[in-house]
Amino acid sequence: MPQDFLGRIWYILDNNWMSFLTGAVNTMIIAIVSTLIGCVIGFAVGLVQTIPLNKKDNPLKKGVLYLVRLILNIYVEVFRGTPMMAQAMFIYFGSSAVFGINMSMWFAAFFIVSINTGAYMAETVRGGILSIDPGQTEGAKAIGMNHVQTMTYVILPQALRNIMPQIGNNLVINIKDTCVLSTIGIVELTYTTRSVSGALYTYFEAFSIAMVIYFILTFACSRLLRMWEKRMDGSDNYDLATTDTLAHTSGLYKYTGREEERD
Amino acid sequence: MSREEVIRIHHLSKTFGKNVVLRDIDFSVCAGDVTCIIGASGSGKSTLLRCLNLLETPTTGEVYFHGQDITKNGIDEAAYRSKVGMVFQSFNLFNNMTVLDNCMIGQIKVLKKKKAQARESALSFLEKVGMAPYINAKPRQLSGGQKQRVAIARALAMEPELLLFDEPTSALDPQMVGEVLDVMKKLAQEGLTMIIVTHEMAFARDVSSHVVFMSDGVIAEEGKPDQIFNHPRNPKTTEFLSRFMRG
Ligand SMILES: Nc1ncnc2c1ncn2[C@@H]1O[C@H](COP(=O)(O)OP(=O)(O)O)[C@@H](O)[C@H]1O
Ligand SMILES: [Mg+2]
């Protein structure tokens, strides 16, 4: 084993690059898939929380909605309010000890990260929907759209655009926080780093490598998402659909009646 | 009168909490009528329009659309609204869509028209309001007057039987008011049935077939434009008009 820092780093990489790669790939798979599932959960919960109720609705609908919202609120508060590592232990070990369910490690991993992301995204989505000008909903209603159509075509596309930075944020957090899954035995980046360093007693070097890999992953993801946001915004200008641009220049003609009233 | 009655408002009242905003409103509109509603801010004009297309639920009273009470339980509100268009003071164009899509989405999703057909009719209405060249623009790229003309085209594209306007020019710079009023005047001449809340008195006088003056949540006076503007009977009308016609 070389004596200098860079030499040792090179040595570790040379001998363990496969482990680091596997760890990084597993980390990314869990982070990306769980963020996506979490977004779906978040949108579902956020949508239920923003269903409008009015006096004319029947009491059964109101009652059911009230109950469902209560359960969803509890879900959001519990998962936001407890550490993911504790949840991982609780769910993975608890499910077999108490309910006799033997979850696969991977299922547990996706489940825990998704359900966590979902809890955070639920509030983000709810806020995103509420932040859209009520005029948008009224415009949609005024042309006869129902609630589902209004949400699908008008509100959600705008809300999604507005919460894109938050989705990116969640992805970055998930890339980092999957490290807690090493406690239930998932071979992600932190797990592989620990086994590499443990074998050779080179914690500093191995974790330096891990830090760099984590940073590259998170940085690349946030840049990619930023680019995607830009694309969602579309172009800053538009083409006039005619060659005769003078045909309709706004503000040039006046309703003549207005002059009289000032006389 | 032989023309068909489109909408009839019958003893309509609206309260928000303890605040009585509309009291015992009664009037009707026949096909081809252009009814202008005038009155001071806070007199309940917007609330009345919003009750008419059920954006607000009337507290008491009924609204009959072709004789059918649409304030009853079990009425398909969306289906009703697709026949009664509304143009808002703040435009409310869909910010995530181009001008063309704004005018197509309702036709496709609500009226279930084919895309090509919807496009054709959207284009013809955009042409009518002078916005055909801007089909690819997003609302944020347009001036206020242009946005309002697109909003009118979007409402027209649903081919409504009745079109409601809530102060369509109040949010516009003065030089853009004319272009919107011109479009509305054209629609009036073509016989579209409209109810227009406006502060443009000269426009109301020239275009409307009927004028309703509202004050403190009640109809203080109504009649032909000539009568309201030139021979008002209610002192409140006189007072209100003097503030607008002055200078
Ligand atoms: N959603 C609401 N809740 C409570 N009060 C309201 C609401 N909407 C309107 N109002 C009140 O109703 C009155 C009439 O408002 P509005 O119909 O907007 O008048 P106008 O359009 O003639 O200016 C005002 O006093 C206003 O404060
Ligand atoms: Mg108003």
Side-chain angles (χ1 to χ4, degrees):
Chain A
M1 161 121 11
Q3 287 308 301
D4 62 312
F5 178 68
L6 284 177
R8 281 202 303 272
I9 290 225
W10 185 247
Y11 177 83
I12 291 170
L13 271 179
D14 200 27
N15 287 292
N16 302 285
W17 64 271
M18 244 339 258
S19 304
F20 281 110
L21 186 65
T22 313
V25 167
N26 286 346
T27 288
M28 284 312 284
I29 290 174
I30 297 173
I32 291 173
V33 172
S34 304
T35 304
L36 286 176
I37 300 174
C39 283
V40 173
I41 297 173
F43 269 92
V45 176
L47 276 170
V48 172
Q49 304 284 29
T50 52
I51 292 174
L53 271 181
N54 67 46
K55 286 194 210 106
K56 279 199 227 160
D57 287 324
N58 73 46
L60 184 69
K61 180 181 165 191
K62 283 186 202 166
V64 170
L65 197 59
Y66 180 82
L67 195 70
V68 171
R69 280 183 185 167
L70 184 72
I71 293 168
L72 292 178
N73 279 332
I74 294 172
Y75 153 63
V76 169
E77 295 303 336
V78 167
F79 279 84
R80 283 198 315 179
T82 54
M84 193 157 82
M85 184 172 323
Q87 292 165 19
M89 303 286 218
F90 182 78
I91 289 171
Y92 183 58
F93 298 114
S95 63
S96 65
V98 181
F99 301 107
I101 303 167
N102 266 316
M103 278 189 198
S104 88
M105 211 162 66
W106 279 91
F107 178 83
F110 286 119
F111 182 79
I112 289 156
V113 183
S114 303
I115 205 96
N116 246 280
T117 312
Y120 279 95
M121 285 300 299
E123 284 300 285
T124 307
V125 170
R126 193 175 69 91
I129 291 173
L130 294 181
S131 74
I132 305 297
D133 172 17
Q136 296 286 304
T137 305
E138 296 196 341
K141 278 184 169 181
I143 57 170
M145 285 196 195
N146 57 33
H147 179 68
V148 174
Q149 291 169 330
T150 304
M151 280 292 159
T152 313
Y153 305 114
V154 179
I155 306 300
L156 286 183
Q158 296 182 52
L160 177 66
R161 169 63 193 90
N162 288 354
I163 65 178
M164 275 302 285
Q166 274 304 317
I167 294 177
N169 216 358
N170 267 306
L171 178 60
V172 166
I173 289 173
N174 283 345
I175 293 172
K176 296 185 299 174
D177 283 4
T178 45
C179 70
V180 310
L181 298 172
S182 56
T183 56
I184 60 167
I186 294 283
V187 186
E188 44 66 64
L189 187 53
T190 297
Y191 186 101
T192 52
T193 310
R194 216 181 287 161
S195 39
V196 166
S197 53
L200 300 166
Y201 223 75
T202 48
Y203 285 97
F204 181 48
E205 292 79 4
F207 275 95
S208 300
I209 295 171
M211 296 265 289
V212 171
I213 298 176
Y214 271 121
F215 182 75
I216 291 172
L217 295 177
T218 55
F219 188 71
C221 283
S222 58
R223 287 292 116 177
L224 281 172
L225 282 167
R226 191 70 58 81
M227 276 161 64
W228 191 18
E229 273 178 43
K230 276 251 165 69
R231 268 202 32 202
M232 283 172 92
D233 286 342
S235 112
D236 279 340
N237 31 46
Y238 56 90
D239 299 322
L240 284 176
T242 172
T243 46
D244 183 10
T245 50
L246 290 178
H248 296 286
T249 314
S250 77
L252 283 187
Y253 50 127
K254 262 192 163 132
Y255 174 67
T256 43
R258 279 172 60 76
E259 306 308 325
E260 298 163 29
E261 92 187 61
R262 299 212 179 82
D263 288 344
Chain B
M1 259 204 259
S2 61
R3 283 174 308 139
E4 195 193 346
E5 186 179 79
V6 177
I7 203 161
R8 184 155 58 89
I9 297 125
H10 187 240
H11 295 308
L12 184 142
S13 299
K14 175 71 184 173
T15 53
F16 289 109
K18 286 201 179 115
N19 186 8
V20 183
V21 173
L22 294 175
R23 211 171 308 148
D24 208 18
I25 301 289
D26 254 319
F27 75 93
S28 61
V29 169
C30 291
D33 277 356
V34 177
T35 303
C36 280
I37 302 178
I38 59 174
S41 280
S43 57
K45 307 178 300 295
S46 298
T47 307
L48 176 56
L49 276 202
R50 293 165 61 82
C51 283
L52 292 190
N53 78 345
L54 302 178
L55 286 177
E56 301 284 359
T57 314
T59 312
T60 59
E62 300 88 44
V63 176
Y64 295 95
F65 184 67
H66 293 299
Q68 193 193 14
D69 181 10
I70 48 102
T71 59
K72 267 200 320 237
N73 276 341
I75 288 289
D76 183 349
E77 297 185 1
Y80 165 68
R81 289 201 198 95
S82 70
K83 296 178 205 150
V84 176
M86 178 133 176
V87 174
F88 301 87
Q89 182 175 347
S90 51
F91 327 121
N92 296 348
L93 289 177
F94 306 134
N95 294 325
N96 56 323
M97 297 179 204
T98 62
V99 164
L100 185 62
D101 288 338
N102 262 281
C103 298
M104 285 172 63
I105 186 89
Q107 297 186 66
I108 295 170
K109 301 301 174 188
V110 178
L111 303 179
K112 314 285 181 203
K113 281 204 217 166
K114 289 259 177 346
K115 230 177 171 171
Q117 216 187 338
R119 186 186 157 89
E120 195 179 322
S121 110
L123 284 174
S124 78
F125 286 112
L126 284 166
E127 184 78 42
K128 175 176 252 163
V129 300
M131 286 301 292
Y134 297 89
I135 50 172
N136 298 320
K138 288 275 184 77
R140 66 182 142 92
Q141 297 161 324
L142 301 175
S143 72
Q146 293 175 325
K147 281 188 214 175
Q148 196 58 294
R149 285 185 283 147
V150 173
I152 293 173
R154 176 178 72 178
L156 291 174
M158 301 298 290
E159 303 190 37
E161 293 177 44
L162 169 66
L163 195 45
L164 312 172
F165 292 80
D166 189 6
E167 299 194 30
T169 58
S170 293
L172 302 181
D173 291 340
Q175 75 268 23
M176 292 170 185
V177 169
E179 67 191 52
V180 173
L181 293 183
D182 274 353
V183 168
M184 291 167 63
K185 193 174 189 183
K186 196 155 78 178
L187 297 176
Q189 283 159 359
E190 288 172 9
L192 182 70
T193 315
M194 306 195 274
I195 301 179
I196 304 169
V197 171
T198 185
H199 289 301
E200 298 289 334
M201 295 304 153
F203 173 81
R205 185 186 55 201
D206 295 353
V207 169
S208 54
S209 49
H210 194 78
V211 176
V212 172
F213 169 63
M214 286 186 62
S215 171
D216 297 325
V218 297
I219 295 181
E221 183 167 2
E222 61 177 313
K224 293 257 171 275
D226 175 60
Q227 186 239 305
I228 299 287
F229 287 105
N230 300 327
H231 316 284
R233 295 190 189 122
N234 191 323
K236 281 185 185 159
T237 319
T238 319
E239 204 251 303
F240 172 77
L241 289 175
S242 72
R243 270 186 287 144
F244 271 88
M245 295 305 200
R246 218 178 7 220

